[in-house]
PDB file of all heavy atoms in Angstrom:
ATOM      1  N   LEU A 196      18.393   2.198 -18.130  1.00 95.00           N
ATOM      2  CA  LEU A 196      18.371   3.409 -17.317  1.00 95.00           C
ATOM      3  C   LEU A 196      17.000   4.081 -17.347  1.00 95.00           C
ATOM      4  O   LEU A 196      16.517   4.585 -16.334  1.00 95.00           O
ATOM      5  CB  LEU A 196      19.451   4.384 -17.788  1.00 95.00           C
ATOM      6  CG  LEU A 196      20.881   3.959 -17.465  1.00 95.00           C
ATOM      7  CD1 LEU A 196      21.872   4.895 -18.140  1.00 95.00           C
ATOM      8  CD2 LEU A 196      21.109   3.913 -15.982  1.00 95.00           C
ATOM      9  N   SER A 197      16.364   4.070 -18.496  1.00 96.00           N
ATOM     10  CA  SER A 197      15.027   4.631 -18.613  1.00 96.00           C
ATOM     11  C   SER A 197      14.024   3.832 -17.779  1.00 96.00           C
ATOM     12  O   SER A 197      13.166   4.408 -17.102  1.00 96.00           O
ATOM     13  CB  SER A 197      14.601   4.636 -20.086  1.00 96.00           C
ATOM     14  OG  SER A 197      13.262   5.024 -20.211  1.00 96.00           O
ATOM     15  N   LEU A 198      14.148   2.503 -17.813  1.00 96.00           N
ATOM     16  CA  LEU A 198      13.278   1.651 -17.012  1.00 96.00           C
ATOM     17  C   LEU A 198      13.470   1.948 -15.530  1.00 96.00           C
ATOM     18  O   LEU A 198      12.500   2.027 -14.765  1.00 96.00           O
ATOM     19  CB  LEU A 198      13.565   0.178 -17.302  1.00 96.00           C
ATOM     20  CG  LEU A 198      12.836  -0.843 -16.428  1.00 96.00           C
ATOM     21  CD1 LEU A 198      11.341  -0.786 -16.682  1.00 96.00           C
ATOM     22  CD2 LEU A 198      13.372  -2.234 -16.691  1.00 96.00           C
ATOM     23  N   TYR A 199      14.714   2.131 -15.102  1.00 95.00           N
ATOM     24  CA  TYR A 199      15.014   2.435 -13.704  1.00 95.00           C
ATOM     25  C   TYR A 199      14.311   3.721 -13.275  1.00 95.00           C
ATOM     26  O   TYR A 199      13.655   3.768 -12.233  1.00 95.00           O
ATOM     27  CB  TYR A 199      16.526   2.550 -13.530  1.00 95.00           C
ATOM     28  CG  TYR A 199      16.975   2.878 -12.128  1.00 95.00           C
ATOM     29  CD1 TYR A 199      16.854   1.945 -11.107  1.00 95.00           C
ATOM     30  CD2 TYR A 199      17.543   4.107 -11.823  1.00 95.00           C
ATOM     31  CE1 TYR A 199      17.278   2.234  -9.815  1.00 95.00           C
ATOM     32  CE2 TYR A 199      17.970   4.407 -10.549  1.00 95.00           C
ATOM     33  CZ  TYR A 199      17.840   3.464  -9.548  1.00 95.00           C
ATOM     34  OH  TYR A 199      18.258   3.761  -8.273  1.00 95.00           O
ATOM     35  N   ARG A 200      14.433   4.764 -14.084  1.00 96.00           N
ATOM     36  CA  ARG A 200      13.782   6.034 -13.760  1.00 96.00           C
ATOM     37  C   ARG A 200      12.271   5.887 -13.723  1.00 96.00           C
ATOM     38  O   ARG A 200      11.600   6.402 -12.825  1.00 96.00           O
ATOM     39  CB  ARG A 200      14.187   7.107 -14.764  1.00 96.00           C
ATOM     40  CG  ARG A 200      15.596   7.623 -14.567  1.00 96.00           C
ATOM     41  CD  ARG A 200      15.859   8.861 -15.397  1.00 96.00           C
ATOM     42  NE  ARG A 200      15.615   8.657 -16.811  1.00 96.00           N
ATOM     43  CZ  ARG A 200      16.536   8.294 -17.692  1.00 96.00           C
ATOM     44  NH1 ARG A 200      17.767   8.085 -17.299  1.00 96.00           N
ATOM     45  NH2 ARG A 200      16.240   8.143 -18.966  1.00 96.00           N
ATOM     46  N   GLU A 201      11.704   5.163 -14.697  1.00 95.00           N
ATOM     47  CA  GLU A 201      10.249   4.980 -14.742  1.00 95.00           C
ATOM     48  C   GLU A 201       9.748   4.187 -13.539  1.00 95.00           C
ATOM     49  O   GLU A 201       8.690   4.501 -12.980  1.00 95.00           O
ATOM     50  CB  GLU A 201       9.854   4.271 -16.035  1.00 95.00           C
ATOM     51  CG  GLU A 201      10.014   5.124 -17.278  1.00 95.00           C
ATOM     52  CD  GLU A 201       9.645   4.368 -18.532  1.00 95.00           C
ATOM     53  OE1 GLU A 201       8.572   3.735 -18.551  1.00 95.00           O
ATOM     54  OE2 GLU A 201      10.439   4.393 -19.496  1.00 95.00           O
ATOM     55  N   LEU A 202      10.492   3.157 -13.128  1.00 93.00           N
ATOM     56  CA  LEU A 202      10.093   2.374 -11.956  1.00 93.00           C
ATOM     57  C   LEU A 202      10.140   3.224 -10.689  1.00 93.00           C
ATOM     58  O   LEU A 202       9.252   3.118  -9.830  1.00 93.00           O
ATOM     59  CB  LEU A 202      10.986   1.141 -11.801  1.00 93.00           C
ATOM     60  CG  LEU A 202      10.660  -0.035 -12.716  1.00 93.00           C
ATOM     61  CD1 LEU A 202      11.792  -1.046 -12.729  1.00 93.00           C
ATOM     62  CD2 LEU A 202       9.366  -0.696 -12.276  1.00 93.00           C
ATOM     63  N   LEU A 203      11.173   4.060 -10.566  1.00 94.00           N
ATOM     64  CA  LEU A 203      11.248   4.931  -9.396  1.00 94.00           C
ATOM     65  C   LEU A 203      10.082   5.923  -9.380  1.00 94.00           C
ATOM     66  O   LEU A 203       9.495   6.185  -8.327  1.00 94.00           O
ATOM     67  CB  LEU A 203      12.579   5.681  -9.362  1.00 94.00           C
ATOM     68  CG  LEU A 203      13.799   4.854  -8.983  1.00 94.00           C
ATOM     69  CD1 LEU A 203      15.063   5.696  -9.069  1.00 94.00           C
ATOM     70  CD2 LEU A 203      13.655   4.259  -7.597  1.00 94.00           C
ATOM     71  N   ARG A 204       9.736   6.470 -10.531  1.00 93.00           N
ATOM     72  CA  ARG A 204       8.600   7.405 -10.599  1.00 93.00           C
ATOM     73  C   ARG A 204       7.289   6.705 -10.295  1.00 93.00           C
ATOM     74  O   ARG A 204       6.442   7.238  -9.582  1.00 93.00           O
ATOM     75  CB  ARG A 204       8.521   8.040 -11.985  1.00 93.00           C
ATOM     76  CG  ARG A 204       9.546   9.091 -12.214  1.00 93.00           C
ATOM     77  CD  ARG A 204       9.331   9.788 -13.555  1.00 93.00           C
ATOM     78  NE  ARG A 204      10.519  10.504 -13.935  1.00 93.00           N
ATOM     79  CZ  ARG A 204      11.187  10.317 -15.073  1.00 93.00           C
ATOM     80  NH1 ARG A 204      10.767   9.442 -15.965  1.00 93.00           N
ATOM     81  NH2 ARG A 204      12.264  11.016 -15.336  1.00 93.00           N
ATOM     82  N   ALA A 205       7.096   5.510 -10.831  1.00 91.00           N
ATOM     83  CA  ALA A 205       5.847   4.782 -10.622  1.00 91.00           C
ATOM     84  C   ALA A 205       5.692   4.351  -9.170  1.00 91.00           C
ATOM     85  O   ALA A 205       4.572   4.275  -8.658  1.00 91.00           O
ATOM     86  CB  ALA A 205       5.785   3.565 -11.536  1.00 91.00           C
ATOM     87  N   GLY A 206       6.793   4.069  -8.495  1.00 88.00           N
ATOM     88  CA  GLY A 206       6.716   3.603  -7.129  1.00 88.00           C
ATOM     89  C   GLY A 206       6.821   4.702  -6.093  1.00 88.00           C
ATOM     90  O   GLY A 206       6.896   4.422  -4.898  1.00 88.00           O
ATOM     91  N   ARG A 207       6.801   5.938  -6.539  1.00 87.00           N
ATOM     92  CA  ARG A 207       7.018   7.066  -5.629  1.00 87.00           C
ATOM     93  C   ARG A 207       6.011   7.093  -4.477  1.00 87.00           C
ATOM     94  O   ARG A 207       6.365   7.343  -3.345  1.00 87.00           O
ATOM     95  CB  ARG A 207       6.948   8.371  -6.405  1.00 87.00           C
ATOM     96  CG  ARG A 207       7.567   9.527  -5.673  1.00 87.00           C
ATOM     97  CD  ARG A 207       7.736  10.721  -6.557  1.00 87.00           C
ATOM     98  NE  ARG A 207       8.958  10.574  -7.357  1.00 87.00           N
ATOM     99  CZ  ARG A 207       9.165  11.161  -8.524  1.00 87.00           C
ATOM    100  NH1 ARG A 207       8.239  11.933  -9.042  1.00 87.00           N
ATOM    101  NH2 ARG A 207      10.279  10.991  -9.178  1.00 87.00           N
ATOM    102  N   GLY A 208       4.751   6.813  -4.712  1.00 83.00           N
ATOM    103  CA  GLY A 208       3.745   6.902  -3.658  1.00 83.00           C
ATOM    104  C   GLY A 208       3.429   5.579  -2.990  1.00 83.00           C
ATOM    105  O   GLY A 208       2.561   5.516  -2.118  1.00 83.00           O
ATOM    106  N   LYS A 209       4.107   4.546  -3.361  1.00 85.00           N
ATOM    107  CA  LYS A 209       3.805   3.219  -2.831  1.00 85.00           C
ATOM    108  C   LYS A 209       4.868   2.799  -1.819  1.00 85.00           C
ATOM    109  O   LYS A 209       6.053   2.859  -2.108  1.00 85.00           O
ATOM    110  CB  LYS A 209       3.711   2.211  -3.965  1.00 85.00           C
ATOM    111  CG  LYS A 209       2.595   2.565  -4.942  1.00 85.00           C
ATOM    112  CD  LYS A 209       2.557   1.634  -6.103  1.00 85.00           C
ATOM    113  CE  LYS A 209       1.457   1.883  -7.079  1.00 85.00           C
ATOM    114  NZ  LYS A 209       1.002   3.215  -7.260  1.00 85.00           N
ATOM    115  N   PRO A 210       4.442   2.370  -0.636  1.00 86.00           N
ATOM    116  CA  PRO A 210       5.415   1.991   0.394  1.00 86.00           C
ATOM    117  C   PRO A 210       6.286   0.812  -0.035  1.00 86.00           C
ATOM    118  O   PRO A 210       5.791  -0.192  -0.524  1.00 86.00           O
ATOM    119  CB  PRO A 210       4.552   1.594   1.596  1.00 86.00           C
ATOM    120  CG  PRO A 210       3.173   2.028   1.282  1.00 86.00           C
ATOM    121  CD  PRO A 210       3.072   2.251  -0.190  1.00 86.00           C
ATOM    122  N   GLY A 211       7.566   0.953   0.143  1.00 85.00           N
ATOM    123  CA  GLY A 211       8.511  -0.119  -0.142  1.00 85.00           C
ATOM    124  C   GLY A 211       8.920  -0.253  -1.587  1.00 85.00           C
ATOM    125  O   GLY A 211       9.822  -1.027  -1.904  1.00 85.00           O
ATOM    126  N   ALA A 212       8.287   0.481  -2.480  1.00 86.00           N
ATOM    127  CA  ALA A 212       8.556   0.304  -3.905  1.00 86.00           C
ATOM    128  C   ALA A 212       9.923   0.853  -4.299  1.00 86.00           C
ATOM    129  O   ALA A 212      10.687   0.183  -4.992  1.00 86.00           O
ATOM    130  CB  ALA A 212       7.459   0.957  -4.735  1.00 86.00           C
ATOM    131  N   GLU A 213      10.235   2.059  -3.872  1.00 90.00           N
ATOM    132  CA  GLU A 213      11.506   2.657  -4.269  1.00 90.00           C
ATOM    133  C   GLU A 213      12.686   1.855  -3.732  1.00 90.00           C
ATOM    134  O   GLU A 213      13.662   1.613  -4.444  1.00 90.00           O
ATOM    135  CB  GLU A 213      11.593   4.100  -3.774  1.00 90.00           C
ATOM    136  CG  GLU A 213      10.738   5.050  -4.582  1.00 90.00           C
ATOM    137  CD  GLU A 213      10.943   6.494  -4.168  1.00 90.00           C
ATOM    138  OE1 GLU A 213      12.105   6.884  -3.948  1.00 90.00           O
ATOM    139  OE2 GLU A 213       9.941   7.209  -4.059  1.00 90.00           O
ATOM    140  N   ALA A 214      12.592   1.433  -2.487  1.00 90.00           N
ATOM    141  CA  ALA A 214      13.681   0.646  -1.900  1.00 90.00           C
ATOM    142  C   ALA A 214      13.833  -0.686  -2.615  1.00 90.00           C
ATOM    143  O   ALA A 214      14.951  -1.148  -2.866  1.00 90.00           O
ATOM    144  CB  ALA A 214      13.415   0.412  -0.415  1.00 90.00           C
ATOM    145  N   ARG A 215      12.722  -1.301  -2.989  1.00 90.00           N
ATOM    146  CA  ARG A 215      12.773  -2.592  -3.681  1.00 90.00           C
ATOM    147  C   ARG A 215      13.384  -2.434  -5.075  1.00 90.00           C
ATOM    148  O   ARG A 215      14.177  -3.274  -5.513  1.00 90.00           O
ATOM    149  CB  ARG A 215      11.362  -3.176  -3.772  1.00 90.00           C
ATOM    150  CG  ARG A 215      11.268  -4.471  -4.477  1.00 90.00           C
ATOM    151  CD  ARG A 215      11.895  -5.570  -3.649  1.00 90.00           C
ATOM    152  NE  ARG A 215      11.899  -6.785  -4.433  1.00 90.00           N
ATOM    153  CZ  ARG A 215      12.875  -7.671  -4.394  1.00 90.00           C
ATOM    154  NH1 ARG A 215      13.871  -7.514  -3.583  1.00 90.00           N
ATOM    155  NH2 ARG A 215      12.825  -8.732  -5.150  1.00 90.00           N
ATOM    156  N   VAL A 216      13.015  -1.362  -5.777  1.00 92.00           N
ATOM    157  CA  VAL A 216      13.564  -1.112  -7.111  1.00 92.00           C
ATOM    158  C   VAL A 216      15.068  -0.907  -7.023  1.00 92.00           C
ATOM    159  O   VAL A 216      15.839  -1.510  -7.780  1.00 92.00           O
ATOM    160  CB  VAL A 216      12.879   0.110  -7.764  1.00 92.00           C
ATOM    161  CG1 VAL A 216      13.618   0.557  -9.011  1.00 92.00           C
ATOM    162  CG2 VAL A 216      11.432  -0.211  -8.095  1.00 92.00           C
ATOM    163  N   ARG A 217      15.492  -0.080  -6.081  1.00 93.00           N
ATOM    164  CA  ARG A 217      16.931   0.165  -5.920  1.00 93.00           C
ATOM    165  C   ARG A 217      17.685  -1.117  -5.573  1.00 93.00           C
ATOM    166  O   ARG A 217      18.754  -1.388  -6.110  1.00 93.00           O
ATOM    167  CB  ARG A 217      17.159   1.211  -4.839  1.00 93.00           C
ATOM    168  CG  ARG A 217      16.835   2.602  -5.292  1.00 93.00           C
ATOM    169  CD  ARG A 217      17.333   3.640  -4.293  1.00 93.00           C
ATOM    170  NE  ARG A 217      17.061   4.964  -4.792  1.00 93.00           N
ATOM    171  CZ  ARG A 217      16.049   5.724  -4.395  1.00 93.00           C
ATOM    172  NH1 ARG A 217      15.222   5.293  -3.470  1.00 93.00           N
ATOM    173  NH2 ARG A 217      15.869   6.919  -4.918  1.00 93.00           N
ATOM    174  N   ALA A 218      17.106  -1.908  -4.667  1.00 93.00           N
ATOM    175  CA  ALA A 218      17.761  -3.152  -4.258  1.00 93.00           C
ATOM    176  C   ALA A 218      17.861  -4.129  -5.422  1.00 93.00           C
ATOM    177  O   ALA A 218      18.888  -4.794  -5.598  1.00 93.00           O
ATOM    178  CB  ALA A 218      16.988  -3.787  -3.101  1.00 93.00           C
ATOM    179  N   GLU A 219      16.811  -4.220  -6.220  1.00 92.00           N
ATOM    180  CA  GLU A 219      16.819  -5.140  -7.356  1.00 92.00           C
ATOM    181  C   GLU A 219      17.874  -4.730  -8.387  1.00 92.00           C
ATOM    182  O   GLU A 219      18.608  -5.563  -8.900  1.00 92.00           O
ATOM    183  CB  GLU A 219      15.426  -5.152  -8.007  1.00 92.00           C
ATOM    184  CG  GLU A 219      15.232  -6.192  -9.058  1.00 92.00           C
ATOM    185  CD  GLU A 219      14.940  -7.572  -8.504  1.00 92.00           C
ATOM    186  OE1 GLU A 219      14.530  -7.676  -7.339  1.00 92.00           O
ATOM    187  OE2 GLU A 219      15.119  -8.538  -9.258  1.00 92.00           O
ATOM    188  N   PHE A 220      17.962  -3.440  -8.668  1.00 94.00           N
ATOM    189  CA  PHE A 220      18.956  -2.978  -9.639  1.00 94.00           C
ATOM    190  C   PHE A 220      20.371  -3.135  -9.097  1.00 94.00           C
ATOM    191  O   PHE A 220      21.277  -3.482  -9.833  1.00 94.00           O
ATOM    192  CB  PHE A 220      18.676  -1.531 -10.051  1.00 94.00           C
ATOM    193  CG  PHE A 220      17.720  -1.422 -11.203  1.00 94.00           C
ATOM    194  CD1 PHE A 220      16.349  -1.504 -11.012  1.00 94.00           C
ATOM    195  CD2 PHE A 220      18.181  -1.258 -12.494  1.00 94.00           C
ATOM    196  CE1 PHE A 220      15.464  -1.421 -12.062  1.00 94.00           C
ATOM    197  CE2 PHE A 220      17.304  -1.171 -13.562  1.00 94.00           C
ATOM    198  CZ  PHE A 220      15.944  -1.256 -13.345  1.00 94.00           C
ATOM    199  N   ARG A 221      20.569  -2.885  -7.800  1.00 95.00           N
ATOM    200  CA  ARG A 221      21.904  -3.073  -7.214  1.00 95.00           C
ATOM    201  C   ARG A 221      22.310  -4.538  -7.244  1.00 95.00           C
ATOM    202  O   ARG A 221      23.483  -4.861  -7.445  1.00 95.00           O
ATOM    203  CB  ARG A 221      21.920  -2.572  -5.778  1.00 95.00           C
ATOM    204  CG  ARG A 221      22.088  -1.095  -5.685  1.00 95.00           C
ATOM    205  CD  ARG A 221      22.452  -0.656  -4.280  1.00 95.00           C
ATOM    206  NE  ARG A 221      22.394   0.793  -4.213  1.00 95.00           N
ATOM    207  CZ  ARG A 221      21.476   1.470  -3.539  1.00 95.00           C
ATOM    208  NH1 ARG A 221      20.547   0.861  -2.868  1.00 95.00           N
ATOM    209  NH2 ARG A 221      21.500   2.774  -3.533  1.00 95.00           N
ATOM    210  N   GLN A 222      21.340  -5.419  -7.008  1.00 94.00           N
ATOM    211  CA  GLN A 222      21.632  -6.850  -6.993  1.00 94.00           C
ATOM    212  C   GLN A 222      22.163  -7.320  -8.340  1.00 94.00           C
ATOM    213  O   GLN A 222      23.052  -8.150  -8.421  1.00 94.00           O
ATOM    214  CB  GLN A 222      20.364  -7.627  -6.631  1.00 94.00           C
ATOM    215  CG  GLN A 222      20.536  -9.120  -6.634  1.00 94.00           C
ATOM    216  CD  GLN A 222      19.220  -9.832  -6.371  1.00 94.00           C
ATOM    217  OE1 GLN A 222      18.193  -9.206  -6.135  1.00 94.00           O
ATOM    218  NE2 GLN A 222      19.236 -11.135  -6.442  1.00 94.00           N
ATOM    219  N   HIS A 223      21.616  -6.762  -9.415  1.00 94.00           N
ATOM    220  CA  HIS A 223      22.001  -7.200 -10.748  1.00 94.00           C
ATOM    221  C   HIS A 223      22.999  -6.263 -11.425  1.00 94.00           C
ATOM    222  O   HIS A 223      23.295  -6.427 -12.608  1.00 94.00           O
ATOM    223  CB  HIS A 223      20.758  -7.363 -11.623  1.00 94.00           C
ATOM    224  CG  HIS A 223      19.816  -8.399 -11.110  1.00 94.00           C
ATOM    225  ND1 HIS A 223      20.123  -9.737 -11.085  1.00 94.00           N
ATOM    226  CD2 HIS A 223      18.584  -8.295 -10.574  1.00 94.00           C
ATOM    227  CE1 HIS A 223      19.120 -10.415 -10.573  1.00 94.00           C
ATOM    228  NE2 HIS A 223      18.176  -9.561 -10.240  1.00 94.00           N
ATOM    229  N   ALA A 224      23.544  -5.310 -10.696  1.00 93.00           N
ATOM    230  CA  ALA A 224      24.475  -4.351 -11.289  1.00 93.00           C
ATOM    231  C   ALA A 224      25.799  -4.989 -11.681  1.00 93.00           C
ATOM    232  O   ALA A 224      26.510  -4.470 -12.534  1.00 93.00           O
ATOM    233  CB  ALA A 224      24.732  -3.201 -10.317  1.00 93.00           C
ATOM    234  N   CYS A 225      26.127  -6.128 -11.090  1.00 93.00           N
ATOM    235  CA  CYS A 225      27.423  -6.743 -11.368  1.00 93.00           C
ATOM    236  C   CYS A 225      27.369  -7.711 -12.545  1.00 93.00           C
ATOM    237  O   CYS A 225      28.364  -8.377 -12.839  1.00 93.00           O
ATOM    238  CB  CYS A 225      27.940  -7.462 -10.133  1.00 93.00           C
ATOM    239  SG  CYS A 225      26.888  -8.799  -9.603  1.00 93.00           S
ATOM    240  N   LEU A 226      26.244  -7.795 -13.230  1.00 93.00           N
ATOM    241  CA  LEU A 226      26.176  -8.667 -14.404  1.00 93.00           C
ATOM    242  C   LEU A 226      27.160  -8.176 -15.460  1.00 93.00           C
ATOM    243  O   LEU A 226      27.279  -6.966 -15.691  1.00 93.00           O
ATOM    244  CB  LEU A 226      24.774  -8.638 -15.020  1.00 93.00           C
ATOM    245  CG  LEU A 226      23.698  -9.430 -14.307  1.00 93.00           C
ATOM    246  CD1 LEU A 226      22.346  -9.184 -14.964  1.00 93.00           C
ATOM    247  CD2 LEU A 226      24.012 -10.891 -14.314  1.00 93.00           C
TER     248      LEU A 226
END
């Protein structure tokens, strides 16, 4: 969860970063 928050903060100003982070975490949420 901490990594998720840090990735969202780090990608805040970069195009496509937040959507990619969310998609990656959603993809692996069913593990």
Side-chain angles (χ1 to χ4, degrees):
L196 289 172
S197 173
L198 174 66
Y199 179 70
R200 285 191 304 267
E201 290 179 48
L202 281 166
L203 287 177
R204 284 186 197 123
R207 198 168 278 155
K209 299 176 178 31
E213 285 186 42
R215 179 70 186 144
V216 168
R217 285 191 177 101
E219 188 80 19
F220 273 81
R221 279 194 189 110
Q222 178 184 357
H223 298 293
C225 62
L226 283 174

